[in-house]
Amino acid sequence: MKLIHNIRDRGITVLLIEHHMQVVMGISDHIAVLDHGEKIAAGPRKKCETIHALLTRISARLMKTLLQLENVYAGYGLIEVLKGINLTVGEGEIVAVLGANGAGKSTTLMTISGINQCRQGRILFNDEPIQNQPPHEIVRYGISQAPEGRRIFPRLTVRENLEMGAFQRVDCDALHADLEQVFATFPILKERQTQLGGTLSGGEQQMLAISRALMARPKLLLLDEPSLGLAPMIVTKIFEIIREINRQGTTILLVEQNANMALHVAQRGYVLETGKIVLEDTAEHLIKNEQVKKSYLGG
């Protein structure tokens, strides 16, 4: 981006073909949007929010779909929790799922993970059906979950918790490198690697839960309420870490009640109510949506 700016500043006009939103919105003066060979919008970048929305949607469509839920039903016993939800996550995205308690957010993640049965519909990962596979097979596919409430092993050390996350791996050399990467991302865990997990603070336990999931080297990381029960300063730190994990190449599906924080790190979002998706849009548009403001942003 800096190089293109420098070329423009030398007086050379630049015609840019690009679908990466950060690049498009970061350096363009004037934007035209093409869809299937037709120009559907054009105008100065600074004056056209519609162009931004259109570009975001087209960019998502061009992006490789990593995870797709098609008409998924799931529940517990006689209780039906998910009622035909459709959801996609593109490779490299952070996608947020918002909703009140009991909306079906955690059930969605547990159904993807194979912990809960998919009663109807399909779950595709890299275009391969994975619904109702046992949880350890889901991990082998490349999906790992940091569950609600952290659920670390309190009587194991920090290092032993991390090694449990890599339980199925046989690539010992790469495992050591990933452990060092985790310690680089979470320096406090390196300092406390011999300490029992149960003696860590809530924020440190959340870092450990996320790190344990990363030790499986997932293509898709499922995060269930990572801010739950944490002090505001620690919540900010956790979301900074989520951004960094995504920048390092891990796709993230984020379930979170803190809608404001979730929508500020995500590219897209879904709103769940009583087991059905009632809203789907870019994170930027959801933040401005009056229904979302009233229900989840306190405005």
Side-chain angles (χ1 to χ4, degrees):
M1 290 170 65
K2 185 177 179 182
L3 175 62
I4 295 172
H5 269 301
N6 290 340
I7 293 170
R8 190 272 312 273
D9 291 343
R10 290 171 57 192
I12 300 173
T13 300
V14 178
L15 177 61
L16 175 71
I17 305 293
E18 180 60 75
H19 70 265
H20 192 292
M21 284 303 304
Q22 183 181 358
V23 177
V24 172
M25 301 308 294
I27 66 175
S28 303
D29 298 306
H30 189 96
I31 300 170
V33 183
L34 297 181
D35 188 28
H36 290 88
E38 294 184 10
K39 184 169 72 173
I40 58 174
R45 170 181 59 85
K46 294 181 180 178
K47 295 183 179 179
C48 197
E49 290 183 5
T50 303
I51 286 180
H52 191 179
L54 284 167
L55 280 169
T56 301
R57 291 183 182 123
I58 291 171
S59 178
R61 198 168 67 218
L62 291 172
M63 189 179 301
K64 174 179 168 57
T65 299
L66 188 64
L67 176 74
Q68 186 167 357
L69 275 64
E70 297 178 349
N71 195 37
V72 168
Y73 287 76
Y76 308 95
L78 298 176
I79 301 172
E80 193 166 74
V81 179
L82 301 182
K83 303 167 185 175
I85 68 169
N86 295 281
L87 177 152
T88 62
V89 180
E91 193 169 50
E93 281 192 303
I94 300 178
V95 175
V97 179
L98 313 176
N101 282 334
K105 304 185 306 297
S106 294
T107 301
T108 299
L109 295 193
M110 289 193 289
T111 304
I112 295 167
S113 292
I115 297 167
N116 195 41
Q117 289 290 299
C118 174
R119 295 176 173 178
Q120 183 179 323
R122 295 199 307 167
I123 302 173
L124 304 175
F125 186 69
N126 272 331
D127 297 324
E128 186 172 347
I130 62 166
Q131 68 273 6
N132 297 329
Q133 293 281 347
H136 64 277
E137 290 296 336
I138 298 296
V139 175
R140 286 199 176 102
Y141 277 104
I143 300 175
S144 194
Q145 181 174 350
E148 181 181 2
R150 301 179 276 279
R151 296 183 181 243
I152 61 164
F153 299 104
R155 296 184 182 180
L156 297 183
T157 66
V158 167
R159 190 182 184 97
E160 288 168 340
N161 268 274
L162 294 173
E163 289 170 349
M164 286 299 293
F167 184 77
Q168 296 190 98
R169 292 179 56 178
V170 294
D171 52 339
C172 296
D173 293 339
L175 193 155
H176 179 74
D178 286 350
L179 187 62
E180 290 305 313
Q181 178 63 47
V182 162
F183 285 149
T185 306
F186 303 90
I188 190 67
L189 297 184
K190 185 172 185 179
E191 292 177 23
R192 304 194 176 181
Q193 60 182 296
T194 60
Q195 188 172 324
L196 293 181
T199 64
L200 299 177
S201 70
E204 291 163 354
Q205 287 187 18
Q206 185 61 70
M207 293 177 192
L208 180 56
I210 294 172
S211 299
R212 181 181 59 186
L214 288 174
M215 286 301 294
R217 194 178 267 191
K219 298 171 185 172
L220 173 64
L221 177 62
L222 308 178
L223 295 178
D224 195 349
E225 303 284 8
S227 74
L228 183 67
L230 301 183
M233 186 179 299
I234 302 300
V235 170
T236 301
K237 176 65 175 175
I238 290 295
F239 277 90
E240 288 172 358
I241 289 167
I242 290 170
R243 278 198 189 96
E244 180 57 29
I245 291 168
N246 181 247
R247 278 195 292 267
Q248 292 172 8
T250 303
T251 303
I252 296 174
L253 180 57
L254 170 66
V255 158
E256 179 57 62
Q257 282 197 36
N258 189 332
N260 186 49
M261 293 294 287
L263 291 175
H264 276 91
V265 299
Q267 286 85 42
R268 294 189 301 113
Y270 295 85
V271 178
L272 263 178
E273 288 184 6
T274 60
K276 296 180 179 180
I277 290 174
V278 295
L279 274 176
E280 171 193 353
D281 210 330
T282 64
E284 182 182 13
H285 277 213
L286 286 174
I287 288 173
K288 298 174 183 177
N289 181 284
E290 291 303 320
Q291 183 181 343
V292 173
K293 283 182 181 180
K294 183 178 179 180
S295 299
Y296 304 107
L297 299 178

